[in-house]
């Protein structure tokens, strides 16, 4: 997840109703028994909860499992900008902090055996890795020879994981600026597809829609197709802004495994907690027809629903929500049908602030977790 202020965005008046299912997987009741940061696995029904990895003081996010294999990939952080003793994606007062971040891989059976694939360069971004169907690793990195601060897509190939044989750039149309959050379905040649978010200067102004291109990349705008965006009727289409720092746009698009539908998160100028604080909402582009707003009826205006990921059979989606329970900010995980119905919270220990869920099987997910803080057990990043 890049280019967003998710940790400071969201409050929602949601009652605290889902707590630790005692006796299922040995979930701890004492907050002191959980590490400050961790990578966890849990059944979608709350069973078999377990700690996979205690990363110490360096947060791991975007944990994703290799299709058909046992390897996981993640983004690891190396800078503690707010001085709380933890290097995290969300640093209080600093928004997202990807400086010196790196892409790593590690096996589920031996998660402490971690190998860096790329990154860990001071001041440079390297993040948001995901596996491809043909066993490669797609991620973003700042290392363009013409402009080292420019973000571009990279794809790592392996002789056998974790031995890297090559890391090659994946071209994107030059008109699409600051491409982020790539997700690939299908092989890495021309028969696969990548969806991503990127800035675009339309005659009406700046916008950041979701785009789709062949997995081999595209060197011109004619090689990419538009998927979706925040819609402003007064603009007769995508919302647009005079300058790109103002843009409210899309992030974290995910293709269904069939390659026919895309789900993503986006902000909209008409949904805000206060000025310049806009929560995320989920959208979907079906195989045909216009994009669909998946926001459920009755959701609090300030609730953030984000980072949706498809189950392998495309019949379920898991996602991350940030909500207010009483007066405490909470990070919760949910699953739902792809049409946005039958939303159910996944039971995890109340002491955990959970984020970035991904399926590791049809019945189990992996996620990043932070221990909550204070008597209210808040997930407010500034209090961790």
């Amino acid at each position: 997840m890049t280019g967003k202020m998710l940790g400071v965005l969201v409050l929602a008046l949601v009652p605290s109703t889902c707590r630790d299912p005692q006796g299922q997987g040995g979930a701890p009741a004492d907050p002191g028994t959980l590490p400050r940061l961790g990578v966890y696995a849990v059944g979608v029904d709350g069973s078999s909860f377990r700690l996979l990895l205690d990363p110490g003081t360096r947060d791991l996010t975007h944990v994703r499992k290799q299709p058909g294999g046992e390897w996981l990939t993640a983004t690891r952080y190396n800078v503690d900008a707010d001085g709380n003793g933890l290097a995290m994606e969300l640093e209080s007062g600093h928004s997202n902090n990807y400086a010196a971040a790196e892409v790593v891989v590690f096996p589920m059976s031996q998660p402490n055996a971690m190998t860096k694939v790329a990154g860990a360069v001071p001041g440079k971004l390297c993040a948001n890795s995901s596996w491809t169907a043909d066993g490669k690793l797609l991620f973003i990195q700042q290392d363009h020879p013409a402009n080292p601060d420019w973000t571009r897509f990279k794809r790592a190939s392996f002789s056998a994981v974790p031995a890297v044989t090559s890391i090659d750039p994946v071209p994107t149309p030059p008109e699409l600026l600051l491409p982020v959050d790539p997700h690939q379905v299908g092989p890495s040649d021309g028969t696969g597809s990548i969806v991503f978010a990127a800035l675009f200067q339309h005659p009406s102004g700046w916008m950041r829609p979701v785009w789709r291109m062949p997995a081999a990349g595209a060197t011109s705008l004619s090689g990419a197709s538009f998927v979706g965006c925040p819609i402003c009727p007064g603009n007769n289409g995508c919302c647009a802004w005079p300058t790109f720092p103002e843009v409210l746009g899309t992030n974290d698009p995910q293709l269904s495994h069939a390659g026919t539908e895309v789900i993503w998160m986006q902000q909209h100028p008409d949904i805000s907690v206060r000025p310049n604080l806009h929560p995320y909402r989920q959208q979907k582009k079906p195989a045909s027809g216009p994009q669909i707003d998946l926001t459920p009826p009755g959701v609090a205006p300030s609730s953030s629903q984000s980072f949706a990921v498809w189950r392998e059979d495309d019949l379920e989606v898991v996602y991350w929500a940030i909500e207010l329970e009483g007066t405490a900010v909470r990070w919760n995980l949910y699953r739902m049908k792809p049409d946005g119905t039958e939303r159910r919270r996944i039971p995890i220990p109340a002491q955990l602030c959970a984020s970035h869920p991904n399926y590791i099987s049809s019945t189990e997910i992996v996620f990043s977790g932070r221990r909550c803080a204070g008597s209210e057990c808040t997930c407010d990043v500034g209090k961790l």
Side-chain angles (χ1 to χ4, degrees), residues 136-202:
K136 300 183 181 184
L137 204 60
L138 182 66
F139 56 95
I140 62 176
Q141 188 171 20
Q142 287 178 331
D143 72 342
H144 195 286
N147 182 352
D149 293 327
W150 205 251
T151 303
R152 61 177 178 164
F153 297 160
K154 306 289 283 294
R155 191 157 45 213
S157 300
F158 302 87
S159 55
V161 181
V164 176
T165 56
S166 66
I167 298 179
D168 304 301
V170 180
T172 54
E175 299 93 338
L176 303 185
L177 308 178
L178 298 177
V180 296
D181 301 340
H183 178 246
Q184 179 176 323
V185 164
S188 300
D189 61 17
T191 62
S193 294
I194 293 175
V195 289
F196 60 98
L199 282 166
F200 177 65
Q201 190 172 21
H202 187 269

Side-chain angles (χ1 to χ4, degrees), residues 276-325:
N276 302 317
L277 198 58
H278 301 265
Y280 283 90
R281 293 289 185 269
Q282 295 158 340
Q283 302 282 307
K284 186 176 75 170
K285 179 65 172 67
S288 61
Q291 70 186 55
I292 300 170
D293 183 359
L294 297 179
T295 305
V299 68
S302 52
S303 178
S304 180
Q305 298 170 330
S306 63
F307 201 80
V309 178
W310 299 86
R311 195 169 69 184
E312 189 172 2
D313 61 6
D314 292 335
L315 297 179
E316 184 178 275
V317 171
V318 65
Y319 69 95
W320 167 26
I322 304 181
E323 305 167 318
L324 186 68
E325 297 182 358

Side-chain angles (χ1 to χ4, degrees), residues 28-319:
D30 178 5
T33 66
L34 295 174
R36 295 184 72 188
L37 302 173
V39 175
Y40 297 87
V42 69
V44 294
D45 60 356
S47 63
S48 303
F49 170 81
R50 63 194 186 278
L51 174 69
L52 289 182
L53 175 64
D54 177 352
T57 60
R58 301 161 73 187
D59 199 10
L60 293 167
T61 67
H62 299 82
V63 183
R64 291 159 170 160
K65 184 175 178 289
Q66 177 190 37
E70 73 149 350
W71 285 86
L72 299 171
T73 187
T75 303
R76 181 164 65 176
Y77 302 86
N78 293 306
V79 176
D80 176 20
D82 60 8
N84 70 349
L86 304 174
M88 305 186 300
E89 177 185 30
L90 299 172
E91 291 283 307
S92 180
H94 297 269
S95 186
N96 296 329
N97 189 46
Y98 294 99
E102 58 191 326
V103 166
V104 298
V105 295
F106 53 97
M108 282 192 65
S109 60
Q110 195 178 359
N112 286 307
M114 196 166 293
T115 301
K116 184 188 79 173
V117 173
V121 177
K124 302 299 180 186
L125 178 153
C126 184
N128 205 200
S129 54
S130 61
W131 298 98
T132 67
D134 47 4
K136 300 183 181 184
L137 204 60
L138 182 66
F139 56 95
I140 62 176
Q141 188 171 20
Q142 287 178 331
D143 72 342
H144 195 286
N147 182 352
D149 293 327
W150 205 251
T151 303
R152 61 177 178 164
F153 297 160
K154 306 289 283 294
R155 191 157 45 213
S157 300
F158 302 87
S159 55
V161 181
V164 176
T165 56
S166 66
I167 298 179
D168 304 301
V170 180
T172 54
E175 299 93 338
L176 303 185
L177 308 178
L178 298 177
V180 296
D181 301 340
H183 178 246
Q184 179 176 323
V185 164
S188 300
D189 61 17
T191 62
S193 294
I194 293 175
V195 289
F196 60 98
L199 282 166
F200 177 65
Q201 190 172 21
H202 187 269
S204 62
W206 287 93
M207 53 188 65
R208 191 172 73 234
V210 173
W211 303 88
R212 181 170 181 161
M213 69 177 184
T219 57
S220 67
L221 195 58
S222 62
S225 58
F226 167 85
V227 176
C229 62
I231 300 295
C232 289
N235 203 51
N236 296 316
C238 292
C239 301
W241 285 263
T243 64
F244 67 81
E246 301 174 80
V247 171
L248 302 176
T250 64
N251 282 101
D252 289 306
Q254 291 272 316
L255 269 165
S256 63
H257 291 82
T260 56
E261 298 186 311
V262 186
I263 194 169
W264 70 90
M265 55 189 267
Q266 67 182 33
Q267 298 167 284
H268 193 282
D270 293 338
I271 303 174
S272 63
V273 180
R274 57 180 183 269
N276 302 317
L277 198 58
H278 301 265
Y280 283 90
R281 293 289 185 269
Q282 295 158 340
Q283 302 282 307
K284 186 176 75 170
K285 179 65 172 67
S288 61
Q291 70 186 55
I292 300 170
D293 183 359
L294 297 179
T295 305
V299 68
S302 52
S303 178
S304 180
Q305 298 170 330
S306 63
F307 201 80
V309 178
W310 299 86
R311 195 169 69 184
E312 189 172 2
D313 61 6
D314 292 335
L315 297 179
E316 184 178 275
V317 171
V318 65
Y319 69 95

Side-chain angles (χ1 to χ4, degrees), residues 341-374:
T341 62
E342 298 185 31
R343 295 177 187 249
R344 290 163 285 178
R345 187 173 320 171
I346 297 174
I348 58 172
Q351 299 85 13
L352 273 181
C353 305
S355 67
H356 299 99
N358 274 277
Y359 289 96
I360 52 179
S361 74
S362 62
T363 60
E364 193 171 40
I365 61 169
V366 63
F367 66 94
S368 301
R370 302 171 185 173
R371 195 175 69 208
C372 65

